[in-house]
Amino acid sequence: RELANMGLKDNLFRFTVIGALITGVVFNVWVLSSCRYLEASRGNLQIGVYRYSLDLEDNAYTTGGSCESYDDEASDGFVRTAQVCAVLAPIFGLFLICMIVVNQCCCPVPCSGILVSLGYVAVQICTALIWLLYKTDACNQSNTSCKWGQAATGNFIAQMMFLVAAIFHRCLPDPKVSSADRKASKEEKKAAKAEKKEQQAEKKARQAEEGAARQADDQKKAAEAAAVAAAAAAVAAAALADKKQKEQEEKDRLAKEEKQKQEAKAEKKRQEDEEKARLAETKRQEEVEAAAIAAAAVAAAAVAAAALAEKERQEREEKDRLAEEEEKKTQEANAEKKRQEDEEMTRLAEAKEQEEAEAAAIAAAAVAAAAVAAAAL
């Protein structure tokens, strides 16, 4: 109930702080009980706060792998300091948890601010001093060094959780103010309940009065409703008659429009028939004209064919005449050419005979000259 009366943001901070502290305490307890805080490089030596583990033979720390407590001779001052601090750290953590729970949820504690601050400082110091295990003799012998172990991770997480709790603790509400607010809230709730009861009593009385007035009003309204119903019935009858008259007028108007549509449709059909008849007449005239044009075209084609035949006949006659004339000319030319050739041959024969006669005369003259020459000789 107390937490329900607190704000969501305040509760969130409270749960964060308490959760971080619980986590830190849990990890502190784990560190306290673990034997794997440090791992030495000398064999399999594992060093914890109160216990250790070693698997090597011929060694004072040999335990066969299980965790064993330190002997008085085996633990030095650093180990004892870490042991004391490992015990005090969870104690201070539990102290902080109790202080915060009581202070925030129950009643304010005197000097709680100082005590809580000292608790945070103490838990951080104790958690930090556990790291002194790095200074033990087992980690500072020759050829031996220690490295981080599992419990060391837990100790670091515990430190971080305590630090987170210390940071968010500054966001927690003042417990004195929260207590006063809770008391004021209780008083306000009591006053609100009393006021609510008074309001319910007044409401019941007012409802009784309103019931009587409502009954009288209901009777009056019933009479008025009857009068209104009668008037409404008359108005409805008049409206119905008017509606019927309007419906009849609408029917007459629709019938008239339908008749006009039928007449328009008949007129349109008559015009379409006339248009079809006109188109048919036009088509017939076009067919007659086409037939006439076709006949004229046939006659023209016949005339053209006759003219073409006559022209072909004349051309054939002209060709025959030209062929005859050409043949005649060819025959005459051949005859003239033969005559000229005969004359030329005759002339050549005569010339040849003349040349032969002259050659014979020359030969006779030469013989005569030779004879004369021979005679003279």
Side-chain angles (χ1 to χ4, degrees):
R1 262 199 322 270
E2 295 296 332
L3 289 175
N5 293 329
M6 301 175 186
L8 177 61
K9 183 176 70 174
D10 295 340
N11 287 333
L12 181 62
F13 286 129
R14 290 185 180 96
F15 290 138
T16 302
V17 172
I18 294 173
L21 289 173
I22 292 173
T23 304
V25 170
V26 171
F27 277 101
N28 273 142
V29 173
W30 177 45
V31 171
L32 188 63
S33 62
S34 176
C35 63
R36 296 181 179 180
Y37 192 91
L38 299 175
E39 295 179 0
S41 60
R42 184 164 59 97
N44 292 327
L45 176 62
Q46 295 177 344
I47 301 171
V49 177
Y50 273 93
R51 298 188 298 170
Y52 67 93
S53 175
L54 183 64
D55 291 338
L56 293 177
E57 297 293 337
D58 299 330
N59 192 291
Y61 294 97
T62 300
T63 62
S66 61
C67 294
E68 294 292 337
S69 300
Y70 289 110
D71 296 333
D72 292 338
E73 296 178 356
S75 59
D76 54 17
F78 293 109
V79 175
R80 292 190 183 94
T81 303
Q83 290 173 348
V84 173
C85 292
V87 173
L88 291 176
I91 293 175
F92 285 123
L94 292 173
F95 167 75
L96 289 171
I97 293 172
C98 294
M99 285 293 296
I100 292 171
V101 170
V102 173
N103 209 27
Q104 292 290 326
C105 299
C106 297
C107 60
V109 178
C111 301
S112 60
I114 297 173
L115 294 175
V116 170
S117 298
L118 291 175
Y120 279 120
V121 173
V123 76
Q124 285 290 344
I125 292 173
C126 292
T127 309
L129 288 176
I130 300 175
W131 296 104
L132 289 174
L133 286 175
Y134 273 103
K135 290 294 185 179
T136 59
D137 294 337
C139 293
N140 288 281
Q141 294 178 2
S142 60
N143 299 327
T144 303
S145 62
C146 294
K147 62 181 181 180
W148 193 287
Q150 294 178 355
T153 303
N155 190 44
F156 177 75
I157 295 173
Q159 278 188 290
M160 293 298 102
M161 290 296 102
F162 290 137
L163 180 60
V164 169
I167 292 171
F168 281 96
H169 188 272
R170 307 301 302 172
C171 301
L172 293 178
D174 188 355
K176 294 181 180 179
V177 176
S178 298
S179 179
D181 290 341
R182 289 195 292 272
K183 290 180 180 179
S185 177
K186 289 181 180 179
E187 293 177 357
E188 288 177 358
K189 285 185 177 180
K190 290 180 180 179
K193 287 182 180 179
E195 185 177 356
K196 187 176 181 180
K197 288 181 180 180
E198 293 178 359
Q199 290 177 355
Q200 288 178 352
E202 292 177 357
K203 185 177 180 181
K204 288 180 180 179
R206 188 168 59 252
Q207 287 177 351
E209 293 177 358
E210 289 176 354
R214 192 182 298 111
Q215 187 175 4
D217 291 339
D218 290 341
Q219 293 177 356
K220 184 178 179 180
K221 287 179 180 179
E224 292 177 354
V228 170
V235 172
L240 183 60
D242 186 45
K243 184 178 180 181
K244 287 183 178 180
Q245 183 180 359
K246 288 181 178 180
E247 288 177 353
Q248 186 63 33
E249 292 176 355
E250 183 68 17
K251 287 180 180 179
D252 295 340
R253 185 182 65 79
L254 292 174
K256 186 176 181 180
E257 290 179 355
E258 185 67 22
K259 185 178 180 181
Q260 290 176 354
K261 287 180 180 179
Q262 293 293 336
E263 292 176 354
K265 189 174 181 181
E267 179 65 20
K268 185 177 180 181
K269 187 175 182 181
R270 185 184 62 77
Q271 291 177 357
E272 289 177 353
D273 293 340
E274 290 178 355
E275 182 67 18
K276 286 180 181 179
R278 185 182 64 78
L279 291 174
E281 182 66 20
T282 304
K283 187 175 182 181
R284 187 182 63 76
Q285 291 178 359
E286 289 176 352
E287 290 176 353
V288 172
E289 291 176 357
I293 292 170
V298 170
V303 172
L308 182 61
E310 180 65 21
K311 185 177 180 181
E312 290 179 352
R313 185 184 64 76
Q314 291 177 359
E315 288 178 352
R316 284 197 301 273
E317 290 177 353
E318 183 67 20
K319 285 181 180 179
D320 294 340
R321 185 181 63 76
L322 291 174
E324 291 176 356
E325 290 179 356
E326 184 69 22
E327 186 178 359
K328 186 178 181 180
K329 286 180 180 180
T330 302
Q331 290 176 358
E332 290 177 355
N334 291 332
E336 181 64 23
K337 185 177 180 181
K338 188 175 183 182
R339 185 184 62 76
Q340 290 177 358
E341 289 178 353
D342 293 339
E343 291 177 354
E344 182 68 21
M345 290 178 68
T346 303
R347 188 182 61 77
L348 290 173
E350 290 177 355
K352 187 176 181 181
E353 290 177 355
Q354 188 177 356
E355 287 177 355
E356 290 177 352
E358 289 178 354
I362 292 170
V367 171
V372 172
L377 184 57

